Amino acid sequence: MLHLRLIIPADRTDEVVRLIENTVGTTHLVVVPGAARNPVGDVVMCDVAREAGDELIGALRELGLDKTGSIAVENIDLSLSKRADKAEKEAPGEGADAVLWEHLADATHEESTLSITYVAFLTLATMIAACGVVLDNAILIVGAMAVGPEFGPLAGLSTAIVQRHPRLALRSLIALLVGFAVAMAVTVGFTVFMDTLGYFTEAKLEADRPNTAFVYAPDAFSFIVAVLAGIAGTLSLTSAKSGALVGVAISVTTVPAAANAAVALAYGDTKQTIGSTNQLLLNLAGIILAATLTLILQKYLWSRQRAATRAAR
């Protein structure tokens, strides 16, 4: 269930209340006249089944409530109510399959912003991965994958393509390009520093590395895994099952490939630099393609379900 808190101009309250009452899957409607001070208006609260949330939020935006008032949406972790159970049963579809497009756009917008924190996490992940590739330590590689925040802008770019948000697409692309460029540049310097201390050596990089050699040897499986991870990551975002993102993070070799490219570049190993760069680009392309196609399919299926629901009323 979702909880909506609305601030509404007093002359629009009756219209909004009728809309909520006529939306299948809503319950626990509360109207508090004159309670809002900034902006001035009435406060209306209600609970709505997740599968009916996108339609209701879209209708509220069509009324211009996001401009004249406010629309706040929260997830309800626990709701002990027979009315809530009834609302969920009446709403078409399953809550786990519902896509809240406004929430998705807002979430990916935040995750795809180029910030100091984002760059720091990506840089740290790349440096950890650099230690992993030099030491041929798979545990460090997995740890670096989990730390890397790059799925945010990847999801943002896919969402922007489907929803036709050019600003979000540009923001996500900048976050990806600048983030990886800074992370790899810092990792080159980190490699030189570690080489000076004697912890990194070219001999270790060139030695047989059975646990981490895959990061600079792209093949068909690299693209297949990236596609599967892109689908899983997108589903985890749209269904609010964010725990699955951890699995996605440790299944794709974006950060390790970037790290190996940076270390190889520091030592002048052109072959590994090119191979790692190809691995990185192949994985990024696979995730973006899969995520975009997944969102397109979800949007199509959801629009058909909404059309069927309206026709049945």
Side-chain angles (χ1 to χ4, degrees):
M1 295 289 289
L2 303 173
H3 178 70
L4 271 63
R5 187 187 71 249
L6 314 173
I7 297 178
I8 308 167
D11 60 338
R12 305 293 300 278
T13 300
D14 291 341
E15 183 181 8
V16 172
V17 168
R18 283 194 300 271
L19 171 64
I20 294 173
E21 290 176 335
N22 292 330
T23 300
V24 176
T26 59
T27 188
H28 303 154
L29 177 60
V30 178
V31 180
V32 187
R37 293 293 180 268
N38 183 20
V40 175
D42 301 335
V43 174
V44 174
M45 294 175 284
C46 71
D47 295 341
V48 58
R50 181 180 174 85
E51 52 269 41
D54 186 62
E55 181 178 2
L56 179 57
I57 295 171
L60 292 171
R61 293 201 65 184
E62 288 178 3
L63 293 177
L65 195 57
D66 55 324
K67 298 182 177 68
T68 59
S70 170
I71 305 173
V73 184
E74 298 175 320
N75 282 307
I76 299 176
D77 294 326
L78 177 63
S79 179
L80 303 178
S81 168
K82 289 185 177 180
R83 290 183 179 273
D85 294 340
K86 184 174 181 292
E88 288 188 317
K89 289 180 181 178
E90 291 176 346
E94 294 293 333
D97 298 331
V99 180
L100 298 176
W101 292 101
E102 296 296 338
H103 177 269
L104 180 62
D106 184 70
T108 51
H109 181 278
E110 181 179 350
E111 293 293 328
S112 62
T113 300
L114 181 65
S115 62
I116 294 175
T117 301
Y118 167 80
V119 174
F121 269 115
L122 188 57
T123 301
L124 289 170
T126 307
M127 292 167 67
I128 293 172
C131 296
V133 297
V134 171
L135 298 175
D136 193 33
N137 189 316
I139 295 177
L140 291 177
I141 293 295
V142 172
M145 290 176 175
V147 173
E150 73 278 7
F151 189 78
L154 288 170
L157 184 57
S158 299
T159 302
I161 293 172
V162 176
Q163 294 293 87
R164 299 178 182 178
H165 288 171
R167 289 187 179 180
L168 177 58
L170 180 61
R171 180 188 296 266
S172 302
L173 190 59
I174 290 175
L176 277 175
L177 296 179
V178 175
F180 272 109
V182 172
M184 293 174 71
V186 172
T187 303
V188 169
F190 175 69
T191 300
V192 173
F193 174 72
M194 294 293 281
D195 182 81
T196 302
L197 296 179
Y199 294 118
F200 282 12
T201 63
E202 186 174 1
K204 290 181 179 179
L205 179 70
E206 302 298 338
D208 290 335
R209 290 185 283 142
N211 294 321
T212 58
F214 67 93
V215 300
Y216 61 87
D219 55 20
F221 279 105
S222 300
F223 186 76
I224 292 172
V225 171
V227 168
L228 295 176
I231 296 172
T234 303
L235 291 175
S236 72
L237 287 177
T238 57
S239 65
K241 295 184 181 296
S242 57
L245 281 177
V246 177
V248 173
I250 63 176
S251 64
V252 186
T253 56
T254 50
V255 167
N260 198 85
V263 174
L265 182 63
Y267 285 115
D269 188 331
T270 304
K271 182 179 179 180
Q272 285 200 38
T273 301
I274 294 175
S276 300
T277 302
N278 289 338
Q279 177 77 277
L280 173 62
L281 295 176
L282 189 65
N283 279 275
L284 293 177
I287 292 175
I288 293 172
L289 176 62
T292 301
L293 293 178
T294 300
L295 287 173
I296 290 174
L297 180 60
Q298 286 183 294
K299 190 172 186 178
Y300 170 73
L301 294 176
W302 194 246
S303 63
R304 286 195 61 182
Q305 181 171 304
R306 288 179 61 176
T309 302
R310 289 173 179 173
R313 291 178 184 173

